């Protein structure tokens, strides 16, 4: 049965991983339909990533130990940990018959990497590919049936990984950000000028000499009365019992000020029009970030989209690409399904179409 899965135990002595055991510390309850185990694996850059492995409990003949499962690697949102949204996605997919791995990216959570709270376009893309390496080597996994899910900023990273790694047979980008676009252009491309980018580069260069370890702060707290609605939504998730976690960048002191400097001078999605495998871009109707997902979808399928200067060839396999807009959903509603009142109060909205995601992966991970 799956209870005897073989994997790398979490034994690294790195002090960021001192709590690397199976104690349940997620922001959501453990489903009775799955098994959970904490694991670790290495990236090609030499970092140790710590992850939660969710497996369906064996309850019929199709889930015996000689059965090969489709598998999913999950990460995001950008600045979150595996105890938050990515773990929920992984667990829900395990309920539906997948082996699912939710991992902390390099430099964050329980994973290794110094200095802490920093990011790199190439290292983060490798994080996803290293997760595929790990899943491919599990004896219970069919290495030809592996997909990935990227949430928020990791949606763009997932698309970048899918463009680079043909082992990834299906990708979901949920409530995605293109972190390279927003880092270089600002929200809604409001800072998309050479002059503004130059000022930002000057400031970051000065910061590197003044105090490279300075933290930028997570989600703003206390919350101003005049904060935009999407900032209030972030607060309701990251700063309340709904989604707060002690190791989460966004719940606490955020990234280093220079921690995402490399993102501003990069562009993730240049080759996504060449992804031949299946992709589902899922976004909320009312999400402030919806323009990222729609632009990525059209750039991927049509070879052009607003916000992208380069016009490239249309996708060779447009028939397996899909854009799904969830009615009445905001950005953070797709972190955990949303609630009827702020701060996670009231009844869950259940806006994430878990069965639709399972259908997409079952169709494309054959």
């Amino acid at each position: 049965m799956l209870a005897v899965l073989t994997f790398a135990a979490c034994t690294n002595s790195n002090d960021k991983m001192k709590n690397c055991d199976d104690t349940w510390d997620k922001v959501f309850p453990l489903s009775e339909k799955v098994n959970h185990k904490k694991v670790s694996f290495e990236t090609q850059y030499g970092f140790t990533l710590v992850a939660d492995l969710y497996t369906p409990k064996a309850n019929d003949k199709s889930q015996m130990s000689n059965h090969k499962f489709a598998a999913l690697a999950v990460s995001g949102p950008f600045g979150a940990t595996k105890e938050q949204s990515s773990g929920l996605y992984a667990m829900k997919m395990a309920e539906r018959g997948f082996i699912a791995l939710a991992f902390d990216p390099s430099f964050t959570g329980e994973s290794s990497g110094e200095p802490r709270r920093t990011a790199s376009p190439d290292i983060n893309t490798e994080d996803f590919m290293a997760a595929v390496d790990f899943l491919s080597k599990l004896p219970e996994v069919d290495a030809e049936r592996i997909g990935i899910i990227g949430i928020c900023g990791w949606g763009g990273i997932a698309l970048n990984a899918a463009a680079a790694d043909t082992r990834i047979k299906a990708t979901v980008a949920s409530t995605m950000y293109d972190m390279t676009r927003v880092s270089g252009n600002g929200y809604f491309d409001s800072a998309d000028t050479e002059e503004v980018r130059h000022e930002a580069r000057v400031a970051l260069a000065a910061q590197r000499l003044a105090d490279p370890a300075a933290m930028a702060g997570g989600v703003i707290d206390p919350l101003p009365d005049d904060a935009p609605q999407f900032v209030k939504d972030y607060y309701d998730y990251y700063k309340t019992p709904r989604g707060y976690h002690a190791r989460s960048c966004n719940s606490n002191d955020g990234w280093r000020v220079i921690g995402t400097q490399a993102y501003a001078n990069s562009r993730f999605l240049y080759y996504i029009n060449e992804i031949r495998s299946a992709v589902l871009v899922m976004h909320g109707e009312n999400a402030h970030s919806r323009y990222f997902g729609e632009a990525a979808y059209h750039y991927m399928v049509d070879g052009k989209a607003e916000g992208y200067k380069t016009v490239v060839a249309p996708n060779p396999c447009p028939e397996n690409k899909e854009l799904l807009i969830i009615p009445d959903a905001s950005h953070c509603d797709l972190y955990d399904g949303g609630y009827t009142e702020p701060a996670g109060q009231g009844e869950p909205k259940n806006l994430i179409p878990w069965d639709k995601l399972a259908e997409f992966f079952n169709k494309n991970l054959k």
Side-chain angles (χ1 to χ4, degrees):
M1 295 295 195
L2 282 174
V4 295
L5 270 172
T6 302
F7 40 70
C10 223
T11 57
N12 193 292
S13 61
N14 185 293
D15 63 355
K16 302 303 180 296
M17 293 153 40
K18 60 186 177 182
N19 295 320
C20 189
D21 57 39
D22 287 333
T23 301
W24 189 258
D25 60 350
K26 322 308 176 194
V27 302
F28 51 90
L30 177 62
S31 169
E32 296 180 353
K33 299 178 181 179
V34 307
N35 294 316
H36 160 263
K37 183 68 178 179
K38 193 165 286 187
V39 299
S40 66
F41 54 94
E42 301 297 314
T43 77
Q44 293 299 313
Y45 287 100
F47 298 116
T48 299
L49 301 192
V50 180
D52 287 306
L53 186 68
Y54 295 88
T55 57
K57 286 186 176 178
N59 55 17
D60 58 44
K61 291 183 179 179
S62 69
Q63 293 181 330
M64 300 299 286
S65 58
N66 62 353
H67 177 72
K68 292 284 189 178
F69 287 78
L72 304 172
V74 190
S75 198
F78 196 79
T81 64
K82 64 189 180 303
E83 290 76 24
Q84 297 173 310
S85 182
S86 62
L88 177 65
Y89 271 69
M91 187 182 73
K92 290 294 186 181
M93 291 296 98
E95 287 181 341
R96 288 157 175 80
F98 300 89
I99 289 178
L101 183 79
F103 64 88
D104 282 333
S106 299
F107 307 106
T108 64
E110 291 182 300
S111 293
S112 71
E114 297 287 347
R116 305 304 292 169
R117 306 282 176 83
T118 194
S120 163
D122 52 345
I123 290 175
N124 292 149
T125 301
E126 162 63 19
D127 288 343
F128 251 134
M129 295 192 288
V132 174
D133 294 342
F134 172 80
L135 289 171
S136 297
K137 296 172 184 176
L138 290 181
E140 290 79 7
V141 168
D142 183 345
E144 297 300 317
R145 299 167 61 213
I146 294 178
I148 61 176
I149 301 175
I151 307 159
C152 188
W154 276 79
I157 299 169
L159 292 178
N160 198 48
D165 192 337
T166 58
R167 298 173 302 166
I168 298 169
K169 298 303 192 297
T171 301
V172 167
S174 177
T175 195
M176 70 162 281
Y177 267 50
D178 176 349
M179 288 303 303
T180 57
R181 180 176 175 181
V182 73
S183 296
N185 294 3
Y187 277 102
F188 314 110
D189 298 320
S190 60
D192 187 16
T193 69
E194 185 276 337
E195 292 82 4
V196 174
R197 277 189 286 270
H198 178 74
E199 291 176 3
R201 290 163 182 157
V202 169
L204 287 168
Q207 184 68 47
R208 294 177 70 96
L209 297 178
D211 185 4
M215 305 305 292
V219 173
I220 189 170
D221 187 13
L223 186 69
D225 292 337
D226 60 350
Q229 183 58 49
F230 76 91
V231 175
K232 294 178 181 179
D233 291 343
Y234 280 135
Y235 183 94
D236 288 339
Y237 182 79
Y238 285 110
K239 290 292 190 176
T240 73
R242 172 184 171 189
Y244 175 85
H245 197 275
R247 288 191 294 271
S248 169
C249 302
N250 297 337
S251 290
N252 296 283
D253 56 356
W255 296 92
R256 288 192 307 146
V257 174
I258 64 170
T260 59
Q261 184 176 17
Y263 273 85
N265 202 44
S266 305
R267 285 295 178 268
F268 264 147
L269 307 183
Y270 185 83
Y271 289 115
I272 63 171
N273 66 301
E274 298 178 3
I275 298 174
R276 297 188 180 188
S277 58
V279 176
L280 171 64
V281 177
M282 181 173 74
H283 236 106
E285 177 185 24
N286 300 325
H288 70 283
S289 53
R290 178 175 169 178
Y291 73 102
F292 289 123
E294 290 181 326
Y297 170 79
H298 288 295
Y299 187 74
M300 177 169 50
V301 174
D302 304 327
K304 56 184 177 180
E306 184 178 355
Y308 293 86
K309 296 178 180 179
T310 304
V311 177
V312 295
N315 194 284
C317 302
E319 68 282 352
N320 61 8
K321 309 301 186 293
E322 184 177 353
L323 175 64
L324 176 64
I325 303 299
I326 308 300
D328 300 320
S330 69
H331 179 84
C332 291
D333 283 339
L334 298 191
Y335 284 7
D336 61 357
Y339 285 82
T340 56
E341 297 178 18
Q345 304 300 312
E347 294 296 320
K349 290 182 180 179
N350 298 317
L351 289 170
I352 299 174
W354 303 115
D355 290 339
K356 165 64 179 177
L357 298 186
E359 177 187 351
F360 168 79
F361 284 118
N362 281 324
K363 176 182 177 181
N364 294 291
L365 297 179
K366 294 182 179 179

